[in-house]
Amino acid sequence: MYYKLYIDSVFLLQMTSNLYLLSLAGKILLCTATHFRICLGAAAGAVLTCVCLLIPAGEVGVRLLVGAFPVSVCMLWITFRIKPGKSLIHGSLVMAGCGFFSGSVMIWILNFLRTVLNGRNSMIVTLLSGHLAYRILLRIITEFRKKKADCERTVSVYVPDLKQQIRIKAFLDTGNQLVDPVSGAPVCVISRKLAATMHSCFQPEKYHAVPFQSVGRKSGILHAYELPELTIEEQGRKIRKQQVILAVCDTDIFEESICQMILHPRLLED
């Protein structure tokens, strides 16, 4: 039993797949390259894959599997100029992961298209399934990056009662549903270090006991205080909020983190 392979078709399919994989890997690794370098890296990978197929030694699958790592390393180096070492190995693993998931999605789409087209297969159908798989994974990666960017923001917080500007690293936790049990007002969480800076603003009559639940701890009570006013500045936009409740986190993990404040998503609403 033998298979007949058309080397021009193999090159075209591999070239297209490499373009998609390099684009996805670049999005994940946050690497940029010109269109020329991406095409050059994809073409080099396609040529090396064809060479692996033409080598008259061992099984075809074994040759492709053995050659996968050096081929991906070559493509990454040509395209993104990643220096040899851990970064290049990490990039190769990322590219392998992209290939695995995009290949799985492509096979699912290809089988669906074959069913619709009564089992007929062609180069156009294969290329179309590859493009659809690429668009799906690109959308997933883009949405993940967007969500991550929305959840990590550096804001400038001004407390009028302190008469000073406090610049802190604050995270926007879109899953933060912590609210005051009486008023339903949103509650932000700050570290003990930041609380010590704002201690003069905390008045006993503005004290709140905020119940919470978290992973690793069934339940608890956070000591919180209500500030008369708080101004949050982000990318030139100023948001002024009144009666802002800040809960003090009493865990050491928070103290060691670069994050000193967890913002409630409702505070960034105009």
Side-chain angles (χ1 to χ4, degrees):
M1 183 178 179
Y2 66 93
Y3 297 94
K4 182 184 292 186
L5 294 176
Y6 296 94
I7 200 66
D8 55 342
S9 298
V10 173
F11 177 84
L12 178 60
L13 289 173
Q14 195 63 39
M15 173 78 173
T16 306
S17 299
N18 290 342
L19 287 172
Y20 293 151
L21 291 179
L22 287 171
S23 177
L24 294 173
K27 292 289 184 181
I28 296 175
L29 298 172
L30 300 179
C31 296
T32 59
T34 62
H35 293 295
F36 173 76
R37 298 204 68 85
I38 294 177
C39 292
L40 185 63
V47 170
L48 292 176
T49 301
C50 292
V51 171
C52 291
L53 288 173
L54 295 175
I55 295 176
E59 297 292 334
V60 174
V62 175
R63 297 200 299 267
L64 291 176
L65 183 62
V66 173
F69 178 73
V71 169
S72 63
V73 167
C74 180
M75 287 193 296
L76 289 170
W77 182 81
I78 292 175
T79 305
F80 302 117
R81 290 297 185 183
I82 299 178
K83 296 181 179 179
K86 293 182 178 180
S87 297
L88 200 55
I89 295 175
H90 176 252
S92 298
L93 294 176
V94 169
M95 197 168 178
C98 292
F100 175 79
F101 285 106
S102 62
S104 301
V105 176
M106 180 179 174
I107 291 174
W108 181 84
I109 296 175
L110 189 58
N111 289 334
F112 174 77
L113 291 178
R114 284 174 178 172
T115 302
V116 174
L117 299 174
N118 298 321
R120 290 179 296 174
N121 189 13
S122 66
M123 179 70 70
I124 296 178
V125 174
T126 304
L127 292 175
L128 178 60
S129 63
H131 180 73
L132 291 176
Y134 165 73
R135 301 302 301 184
I136 291 172
L137 291 178
L138 181 62
R139 181 63 180 272
I140 293 174
I141 294 173
T142 303
E143 290 297 326
F144 177 80
R145 287 289 183 190
K146 182 179 178 182
K147 184 176 181 180
K148 184 178 180 181
D150 288 341
C151 294
E152 297 181 2
R153 300 182 181 181
T154 301
V155 300
S156 180
V157 179
Y158 177 69
V159 183
D161 287 356
L162 289 178
K163 300 296 188 297
Q164 64 176 327
Q165 193 83 2
I166 304 176
R167 186 162 185 82
I168 60 175
K169 179 73 174 181
F171 288 171
L172 171 62
D173 186 0
T174 55
N176 180 12
Q177 301 298 323
L178 193 63
V179 296
D180 180 70
V182 178
S183 63
V187 177
C188 297
V189 182
I190 62 175
S191 66
R192 288 180 298 187
K193 181 179 179 180
L194 185 58
T197 305
M198 298 181 174
H199 187 266
S200 60
C201 301
F202 297 157
Q203 304 299 325
E205 62 273 14
K206 297 295 183 178
Y207 172 80
H208 294 256
V210 180
F212 75 97
Q213 292 182 341
S214 64
V215 178
R217 186 173 180 178
K218 187 175 181 181
S219 62
I221 298 294
L222 289 177
H223 302 289
Y225 295 88
E226 181 180 313
L227 296 183
E229 184 179 328
L230 193 69
T231 301
I232 302 172
E233 183 176 352
E234 180 193 30
Q235 299 179 351
R237 182 180 65 149
K238 290 185 178 182
I239 302 176
R240 181 181 176 185
K241 294 292 180 178
Q242 296 180 339
Q243 285 78 49
V244 180
I245 301 176
L246 302 180
V248 182
C249 181
D250 58 357
T251 63
D252 294 332
I253 297 178
F254 205 171
E255 297 302 320
E256 298 173 358
S257 173
I258 60 174
C259 165
Q260 293 297 306
M261 183 177 187
I262 299 178
L263 290 172
H264 195 286
R266 282 165 55 187
L267 282 185
L268 291 185
E269 297 176 356
D270 292 327

